[in-house]
Amino acid sequence: KSFAMVVLNLSPDSFSGDGVTASQLSERVKAIIESGAQCIDIGAQSTRRGAIQISEEEEETKVRHAVEEVRNQSSEIIISVDTTRASVAHLAIELGADIINDVSGGQFDTEMYEVINSHPHVLYVIGHLQGTFETMHDSFVYTGITQDLIEYANNKVSFLESVGIQKERIIFDPCIGFSKGKKENLAIIKNIKELVNKVPVPVLIGLSRKGFIKTITQTEDNESLDRYTLALYSILLSEGVKVIRTHEVTNTMNILS
């Protein structure tokens, strides 16, 4: 069954400009839960172009407060934590996280595989990007983005299975906007059915309020961006995408139901 991850940004410089402070956290979590969200995706580290990487200690502190707040308010909602650090993932899981959403697919911290492997109830979202934290927003050369992503996902899933992480626990995110230009991003959307059919695990797509959407729609207004994103998500869901990542809850839940 398809579901939506609702973004909870703990970073003041998130690309969507909706980062919550410690004092706003409880109220924002309450609003997300009351709007009927199935899953909340907590991220303390901004991944926008030019973002500064925060310390491990700061990320752990922010994630701890957020996961505890969500669990205090709801024992039912699925908690995803967006991190590339194994130590943060481990802490989050110990506090009750159900999903680790790693845009680097373990590339930035290879200890991530052991953390995921040792917690067999946790799902693992593997992202696709190239380069380092500092260069992941550069455009890279591809022979053909769709085929490259299919090959990457199949190889990564095979590798994860070889280290004990079952296929049933894995979700693939092609990471639109990471290490890809406008041409590649559009190709992913255009060829989504092929990607879904040839990748051996469910596919997640995150378009919500990304620079790519701002570029193709020529708008900065969040309300307008959300409308365009919802229209695209409706198409992508009909083509077999299983997970979408959103900042706007109510209308997203409507297209899922």
Side-chain angles (χ1 to χ4, degrees):
K1 191 182 173 185
S2 300
F3 71 94
M5 286 180 165
V6 179
V7 178
L8 178 65
N9 278 321
L10 308 176
S11 169
D13 70 341
S14 67
F15 64 81
S16 57
D18 67 341
V20 298
T21 61
S23 62
Q24 298 166 327
L25 180 63
S26 178
E27 199 177 314
R28 176 69 181 139
V29 168
K30 185 169 182 273
I32 291 172
I33 291 169
E34 286 181 350
S35 63
Q38 303 150 298
C39 173
I40 194 162
D41 188 39
I42 297 165
Q45 171 62 61
S46 173
T47 51
R48 69 167 178 80
R49 186 183 292 274
I52 304 299
Q53 195 163 22
I54 61 174
S55 71
E56 204 162 315
E57 188 181 13
E58 185 182 347
E59 188 178 359
E60 286 178 2
T61 301
K62 286 184 169 183
V63 165
R64 175 186 291 280
H65 289 157
V67 174
E68 286 177 342
E69 182 60 46
V70 175
R71 268 295 161 256
N72 284 341
Q73 291 197 34
S74 169
S75 59
E76 299 295 310
I77 197 165
I78 298 164
I79 297 178
S80 168
V81 171
D82 186 344
T83 185
T84 60
R85 286 175 166 145
S87 64
V88 177
H90 184 267
L91 171 75
I93 294 165
E94 294 296 309
L95 293 169
D98 307 288
I99 302 173
I100 297 300
N101 181 9
D102 177 1
V103 290
S104 82
Q107 192 177 306
F108 292 174
D109 187 347
T110 53
E111 287 180 24
M112 184 68 87
Y113 305 131
E114 179 49 40
V115 171
I116 302 300
N117 189 31
S118 60
H119 295 89
H121 65 287
V122 171
L123 299 183
Y124 185 37
V125 179
I126 50 166
H128 170 274
L129 51 75
Q130 297 195 57
T132 63
F133 182 85
E134 290 73 27
T135 64
M136 64 184 175
H137 286 293
D138 297 349
S139 290
F140 290 78
V141 177
Y142 298 91
T143 50
I145 188 65
T146 309
Q147 277 311 121
D148 287 357
L149 287 170
I150 291 165
E151 192 176 323
Y152 168 86
N154 277 279
N155 290 342
K156 182 67 87 171
V157 170
S158 293
F159 166 74
L160 292 173
E161 285 187 302
S162 77
V163 297
I165 300 165
Q166 302 95 325
K167 190 165 72 175
E168 293 71 28
R169 299 173 56 201
I170 305 166
I171 296 168
F172 175 60
D173 179 1
C175 286
I176 284 174
F178 289 82
S179 317
K180 300 163 190 81
K182 180 181 169 185
K183 177 183 154 196
E184 286 80 23
N185 293 325
L186 285 168
I188 293 167
I189 292 170
K190 183 182 167 208
N191 301 324
I192 195 66
K193 197 157 200 168
E194 184 184 359
L195 191 69
V196 164
N197 288 338
K198 293 183 179 175
V199 166
V201 294
V203 172
L204 178 156
I205 295 288
L207 296 171
S208 187
R209 300 182 188 174
K210 283 191 173 175
F212 160 67
I213 293 291
K214 293 176 183 178
T215 302
I216 63 169
T217 60
Q218 296 289 292
T219 183
E220 293 281 333
D221 169 57
N222 279 346
E223 210 172 299
S224 301
L225 288 169
D226 289 344
R227 275 201 304 274
Y228 287 119
T229 301
L230 282 167
L232 279 170
Y233 276 160
S234 295
I235 297 164
L236 293 168
L237 288 164
S238 72
E239 298 284 288
V241 167
K242 288 296 179 198
V243 189
I244 53 176
R245 199 167 171 274
T246 186
H247 293 80
E248 193 282 336
V249 193
T250 312
N251 293 316
T252 304
M253 295 311 296
N254 289 339
I255 66 165
L256 281 165
S257 57

